Every structure is written in C-alpha cells, then in structure tokens.
Amino acid sequence: MAGVRTLSVNADDFGFTRDVNSGIIEAHTRGILTATTLMANGAAFDDAVRLAHAHPALDVGVHFVLVGGPSLARPGTPLPASVPELLMALARRRLDAEAELRAQIRRIVAAGIQPTHLDTHKHTHLVPAVLGAVARLGEEFGVRWVRRPFDLPLHGSPAEVPLATRLVSRAFRGVRAQFHRKLERHGCATTDWFAGFQITGRYGAEELIHLIEHLPEGWTEFMTHPGHCTAELRAARTRLKESRERELRALTDPRVRDALIRRGVQLVSYRNPIR
C-alpha cells in the first residue's frame, strides 16, 4: 500500500537468560515490542516458553543458533564458539547445519509454539549453506518470513557506529540478490527493510525516535536486544549486558510511541502484516 509505513519490533535472544526474558516481556507489555525470536538451546528456554504462552499477542519466531551453546542434534557436544570456528566446521563437514537447525525448530514446535518468523544468531544465514538450510526448514515447517539483515542507511543518526561495524554492514549488502533468490525458491519472503544491526547496544530513546522519523514506506523489521542486567546476564558469555537495559528503556519510553503516532507508523505482527 503506497504511503504506508509499518514496523515490526523484534527482540533477539529469547531464552538466553531469565533476566533477558523478563526484559523482553516488559518491552512487549509496556513498550513497542511486537515480536521475539526464541533460542531453542538457550539456558532459559523453558522460562521463555512459559512466558510465550502467557503472552499470546507476542509473535514468537526461531532464533537459530550455530554459534555458542550446546548442540541439540548432538547432545553433549558444544556448537562452535565463534563465526570463524563455524565456517571452519562447515568447510570440514564437522557440523551438519541443517540437522542442528531442524532439531532446534522441532524443540520449539514440540513446546506448543508455532513460529511466525526465522532469523539466526550472529546473522549466520548469510553463509550460503546455512541460508539454504533455513529456507528449506521455513518451507518444511510453514514459516514464511525470514530476516533480511541488510541495514537501512542511518541518515545522520547520532548513534556512534564504529567503522568496522559500518564496513561489515556494507559487506552484507553484497550478497543481497543471491540471498533473496534462494529464499524465493522455497516460498520464503522478507520484510521490505531492516534496521538495528549498526546501532545494536548503542541507542537510546533519541536514536530510536530518529530512526522512526526516517523510516521509508513499506514494512521494516527493527532488531532489538532488551533485557534486565542482573547477576545471571553478567555471568553469561555476551558483549550485550548493560546495553540491554538501555534498549529496554528506549523501547518503553512514551516519547517513542508518540513518534510512531506522529509519523503515522503502524506496529504490525508477522501473522498479519500490512503490505
């Protein structure tokens, strides 16, 4: 629909820790969060499933994990600890990505959750072999929507983005055409736009308002990482700790919702997007 701007606000890492889970639910009940993606191998998976059933308006998708945490396809075996280790494991055929991802989505479906969308931890579905597995599983399990991790330009956003992060974001765009062709072959699709990669852990309410004011026409996914930072998260292996509290404050700031209204941006779900 010409002139329409719609937004799905997704929180990654549901199931990572209980304090991340509680922050995601708060961002949904008190703020603008519309969706989340669940880590089937997360330490707080059972807590996340309980919360998902208690909040049926929250879209729940799959946050496929091939980097970090335990394998579900090969119990007792850890997944690669970094993206370079993952690439090495795939090249040497020491990891069956599709078998691992199938075990993860099966665990989520077995918990009574029908996923509405798919993405991957650390955007590993930009790797062709992983993207193929994600697309096939989307077709097999009837999940149409897959994240397109190609960031919108920031239009002079005040958030300070390191040069390395900007360069990685630009490099992602080089595989965009091949990415979309592979998804289309399996009946999968994406939002029109995506935002959040460059400012992950670096934004507050002002930066989020700035992003809303510059949203293009069409449907945008905004990737977020809210949470409460307690001893549980502080003990976990992640660079995103105190920043999750800042993102949570931004997502629940009344000025942000006012900006959506002022700009005429509609919050939408993956179940019923307005295209």
Side-chain angles (χ1 to χ4, degrees), residues 74-119:
R74 300 173 63 193
T77 304
L79 292 171
S82 66
V83 172
E85 287 185 30
L86 169 64
L87 296 176
M88 186 67 69
L90 292 173
R92 295 181 176 178
R93 299 186 177 180
R94 294 200 307 257
L95 175 65
D96 185 335
E98 189 158 344
E100 178 61 38
L101 301 186
R102 178 174 280 105
Q104 292 182 16
I105 193 171
R106 278 180 171 168
R107 187 183 190 198
I108 290 171
V109 171
I113 294 173
Q114 178 54 50
T116 57
H117 56 299
L118 309 172
D119 58 42

Side-chain angles (χ1 to χ4, degrees), residues 17-20 22-24 26-27 30 200-205 208 224-234 239-253:
T17 59
R18 287 171 298 173
D19 45 4
V20 165
S22 65
I24 288 171
E26 182 176 342
R30 294 187 51 241
T200 291
R202 300 185 180 92
Y203 72 88
L208 183 46
T224 72
H225 296 82
H228 295 291
C229 188
T230 69
E232 188 175 0
L233 180 58
R234 290 192 183 97
R239 73 175 178 87
L240 300 176
K241 294 185 178 181
E242 289 80 5
S243 66
R244 293 182 191 262
E245 296 262 12
R246 186 183 183 203
E247 291 200 20
L248 176 57
R249 289 194 297 272
L251 292 166
T252 56
D253 192 309

Side-chain angles (χ1 to χ4, degrees), residues 88-164:
M88 186 67 69
L90 292 173
R92 295 181 176 178
R93 299 186 177 180
R94 294 200 307 257
L95 175 65
D96 185 335
E98 189 158 344
E100 178 61 38
L101 301 186
R102 178 174 280 105
Q104 292 182 16
I105 193 171
R106 278 180 171 168
R107 187 183 190 198
I108 290 171
V109 171
I113 294 173
Q114 178 54 50
T116 57
H117 56 299
L118 309 172
D119 58 42
T120 56
H121 190 49
K122 299 188 180 296
H123 304 305
T124 54
H125 62 305
L126 286 170
V127 178
V130 178
L131 178 61
V134 169
R136 286 189 292 273
L137 290 170
E139 182 176 28
E140 179 181 337
F141 285 85
V143 187
R144 183 183 184 196
W145 304 110
V146 177
R147 172 178 289 168
R148 48 165 292 151
F150 310 115
D151 232 0
L152 281 169
L154 291 180
H155 295 292
S157 169
E160 295 183 5
V161 181
L163 176 61

